[in-house]
Amino acid sequence: MSEHVPTFPDLKDKAVLITGGGSGIGAALTEGFAAQGSKVAFIDVAGAPSRELADRLAGISRHAPLFIQADLTDLEALKQAVAQAESAHGPARVLINNAALDDRHELLEITGDYWDANHAINLRPVAFTAQAVAPGMIAAGGGAIVNFTSTSYMLNIGAMPAYTAAKAGIVGLTKGLAGRLGPDGIRVNAIAPGWVMTERQKKLWVTEEGLAAMIERQCLKRPIEPDDMVGPCLFLASNASAMITAQVLIADGGMM
Ligand SMILES: NC(=O)c1ccc[n+]([C@@H]2O[C@H](COP(=O)([O-])OP(=O)(O)OC[C@H]3O[C@@H](n4cnc5c(N)ncnc54)[C@H](O)[C@@H]3O)[C@@H](O)[C@H]2O)c1
């Protein structure tokens, strides 16, 4: 974990639920909240990397993170996963909507079914995880929700229209949820990362030239790592951001 991440005392022993927390940025967040002493539960469809992460963190965390295997495109499974987290740790006081699938797709080839399946992971779970968590969070006295959007939707990228539409939708949803849940003491914000060097990105899309071109456009001249998302997310989850809601925090090394 990066040494530049401070401690947020209010996150200690707090129930935190993270979607897609088994790999990529989500794994860094799982580790980051566990390092704060939070009671972390994470939902992920991928069993092997998630179990490996949970096992590794169990020995070094104040609370062993709880891995719940579920497919978030299945709304019943999503609800059951949230209920399982709640019965283990109590109502979530922090929800991080991080899971996504950034498959590339061609506008001229996509079907209605593809579009729906894409939004079933990239947009719908943000709403329905918030819906499932909200009653417990409200009863517990409030909390914070952080949704992961992306700078990709602001960059006119042509290679993934359903994904970027979903990511733009998350911004609208963030503001709608903030308006609806603010009176109940729940803050809702979004983080828009730039291009983050996860294992998936490196395996599928990162090339030396592509990365160099991105860094050329950033003010800060180094690649963005998953750990770089931890500090902004802890900040928006903690009381340090007590009067911040309905906002999008761009974490892209200064490209936008
Ligand atoms: N990596 C980037 O460059 C980048 C840039 C901008 C925004 N983001 C956003 O940050 C977030 C994390 O991205 P990432 O790059 O770490 O993604 P990733 O693909 O590396 O990890 C996503 C996680 O979500 C899980 N997941 C996928 N489908 C699921 C499903 N149906 N049910 C449950 N879990 C599922 C995966 O198993 C995985 O653990 C996403 O919201 C993404 O849109 C990433």
Side-chain angles (χ1 to χ4, degrees):
M1 185 53 51
S2 313
E3 55 204 22
H4 58 258
V5 174
T7 299
F8 294 87
D10 65 293
L11 294 177
K12 190 172 164 189
D13 298 328
K14 206 164 242 185
V16 175
L17 179 62
I18 302 172
T19 69
S23 65
I25 293 169
L29 301 176
T30 296
E31 184 161 3
F33 279 97
Q36 297 287 323
S38 306
K39 294 181 196 163
V40 180
F42 67 98
I43 303 170
D44 206 296
V45 74
S50 303
R51 272 190 289 277
E52 202 178 297
L53 177 69
D55 289 348
R56 181 169 66 77
L57 295 179
I60 56 171
S61 309
R62 179 177 168 87
H63 303 284
L66 171 67
F67 165 48
I68 301 166
Q69 189 164 15
D71 182 345
L72 292 161
T73 65
D74 176 344
L75 291 185
E76 203 41 52
L78 181 160
K79 272 189 224 164
Q80 282 173 17
V82 171
Q84 193 182 330
E86 197 164 317
S87 66
H89 291 161
R93 304 301 299 273
V94 172
L95 166 64
I96 313 297
N97 277 309
N98 161 80
L101 188 64
D102 64 344
D103 277 350
R104 292 349 185 214
H105 45 277
E106 167 54 45
L107 173 72
L108 301 184
E109 290 167 9
I110 54 172
T111 61
D113 286 347
Y114 177 84
W115 182 275
D116 289 347
N118 187 293
H119 281 212
I121 179 57
N122 288 322
L123 181 57
R124 196 171 68 174
V126 179
F128 284 93
T129 311
Q131 183 196 58
V133 160
M137 201 181 264
I138 293 167
I145 298 176
V146 181
N147 300 324
F148 272 77
T149 176
S150 169
T151 54
S152 59
Y153 88 83
M154 310 171 201
L155 294 171
N156 309 334
I157 294 172
M160 40 184 176
Y163 173 84
T164 46
K167 289 290 158 186
I170 286 174
V171 175
L173 183 55
T174 296
K175 290 180 171 286
L177 291 173
R180 171 61 184 82
L181 298 173
D184 295 310
I186 298 175
R187 298 181 299 107
V188 189
N189 291 290
I191 293 178
W195 198 16
V196 181
M197 298 296 109
T198 61
E199 287 311 311
R200 176 176 162 85
Q201 298 300 313
K202 288 193 272 190
K203 194 169 88 187
L204 294 177
W205 295 297
V206 178
T207 60
E208 216 173 292
E209 308 76 63
L211 180 58
M214 188 60 73
I215 291 174
E216 174 65 27
R217 294 179 67 182
Q218 293 173 197
C219 300
L220 302 173
K221 303 297 183 189
R222 70 159 172 83
I224 306 172
E225 301 296 338
D227 273 357
D228 292 316
M229 298 302 116
V230 173
C233 193
L234 294 174
F235 168 67
L236 289 176
S238 83
N239 292 341
S241 58
M243 280 306 283
I244 299 177
T245 195
Q247 301 305 308
V248 180
L249 181 56
I250 295 178
D252 70 346
M255 195 185 65
M256 299 303 297

